[in-house]
Amino acid sequence: MSSTASQKRILPLDKECLADRAVDYKLYSILQKISHYNGKGVRFVYKNHPTLGNLTRPRLLEIYNEKCIGNPQEQISLSTLKRKMALFKSIGMISEGKIEDTINGKEVNAFILLENFALFQYIPLETLEYLADTASSTVIKLYAFLLNKFLWKAKFNDTYVFTYAELAAEIGLNDNNNGNTRIIRNCLNSLSNSELIDYCDFYVMTDSGVP
C-alpha cells in the first residue's frame, strides 16, 4: 500500500449498508480511525490497542460516547453497541480473530475490517478523524455519498443535482416523513459549516408556474 493510500480510509456505499439506519457509520469510522494496516492487504484494529487499552465492548462504548459529548442524544447503551457490532459482523463489515501483525512479527487478536464492499468511497484520514469525532452516523453517510457523487460527476465536468427526498432515500430515511427534509437540511448545513461541502438551493419551475 502506498503512503498516499495509507492516509485514506474506506466507507461503504453498498445499499445494504448505506440505506440501513441500523448500520452505524460513526462507530465504523471510529474503528477505521484507530485501525492499522498489516502490509498484506488487511486493515485491522488491535483488541489490545497500544494507546486505547483493551478494546472490550464496554471500552468501545466509552470511546463512542466520548465522541458524542456535544450531542448527548447520540450516546448509546452497551446493549445497543453490542447489537451494532453484531450487525457489522453479520453483514460482512468486520470479523474478529487473530491476524499477523507484520510490525511486531506475531499474531494478535483483532477486529478485522473486511473492506470487500462492491461500492465504497475513500475518505482522507484527516477528514474521517474529524467526522468520527464530531458527526453523527447520518452526517457521515451523507458525506460519503455526496463525495462519491461529486467525484463521479466531476469526471464529466458536471455537477451533482439532488432533491432532499432523494438524499433521504439513499441513506434510509424513506418513510415519507416530512421531518426527513429537516434532517437532510441539518446534515447538509453541518457539513457546510465544517467547510466539508458547498451547496446551494435552486428551484425548477413546472409548466404550471409552481416551483
Side-chain angles (χ1 to χ4, degrees):
M1 177 178 286
S2 68
S3 59
T4 300
S6 68
Q7 295 307 307
K8 297 180 180 180
R9 297 290 187 270
I10 282 177
L11 289 180
L13 296 179
D14 290 352
K15 200 73 173 178
E16 183 181 23
C17 301
L18 198 67
D20 188 342
R21 292 188 225 185
V23 177
D24 193 324
Y25 275 47
K26 185 180 185 73
L27 179 57
Y28 188 73
S29 295
I30 290 171
L31 293 174
Q32 281 281 3
K33 172 186 171 180
I34 63 177
S35 67
H36 294 77
Y37 181 68
N38 78 340
K40 295 187 176 182
V42 180
R43 183 163 290 284
F44 69 97
V45 178
Y46 291 102
K47 282 196 172 181
N48 187 11
H49 198 275
T51 58
L52 297 171
N54 190 11
L55 293 182
T56 61
R57 267 40 174 194
R59 178 64 180 125
L60 285 173
L61 179 68
E62 289 178 3
I63 294 168
Y64 186 98
N65 284 341
E66 284 170 2
K67 308 301 182 184
C68 302
I69 295 299
N71 297 288
Q73 70 276 12
E74 297 284 341
Q75 292 183 338
I76 61 175
S77 66
L78 180 58
S79 60
T80 298
L81 182 129
K82 288 179 177 179
R83 285 198 303 271
K84 292 175 184 292
M85 292 292 287
L87 178 59
F88 284 172
K89 293 175 69 175
S90 71
I91 62 176
M93 293 178 72
I94 69 170
S95 65
E96 296 184 66
K98 290 186 177 295
I99 189 169
E100 183 181 357
D101 178 5
T102 53
I103 296 175
N104 298 315
K106 62 180 180 180
E107 283 195 336
V108 295
N109 292 316
F111 299 107
I112 301 165
L113 307 183
L114 300 176
E115 299 189 333
N116 54 359
F117 310 110
L119 298 173
F120 61 87
Q121 179 59 52
Y122 280 111
I123 307 294
L125 177 57
E126 184 178 3
T127 302
L128 182 127
E129 289 175 335
Y130 175 79
L131 290 169
D133 289 348
T134 64
S136 68
S137 175
T138 304
V139 169
I140 297 171
K141 283 186 177 185
L142 192 60
Y143 177 74
F145 177 80
L146 289 174
L147 178 60
N148 180 266
K149 290 297 185 182
F150 169 79
L151 293 174
W152 173 252
K153 288 290 188 178
K155 291 180 180 180
F156 306 99
N157 197 29
D158 200 359
T159 302
Y160 177 54
V161 178
F162 56 84
T163 67
Y164 295 130
E166 289 169 348
L167 287 185
E170 289 290 346
I171 61 173
L173 302 176
N174 52 4
D175 51 7
N176 297 317
N177 187 332
N178 290 333
N180 291 342
T181 294
R182 175 182 52 79
I183 292 171
I184 293 297
R185 281 180 171 169
N186 288 343
C187 290
L188 290 171
N189 287 336
S190 176
L191 291 168
S192 178
N193 291 338
S194 300
E195 300 184 346
L196 290 175
I197 67 167
D198 190 15
Y199 82 102
C200 64
D201 287 317
F202 70 90
Y203 298 89
V204 177
M205 301 297 293
T206 65
D207 293 338
S208 63
V210 178

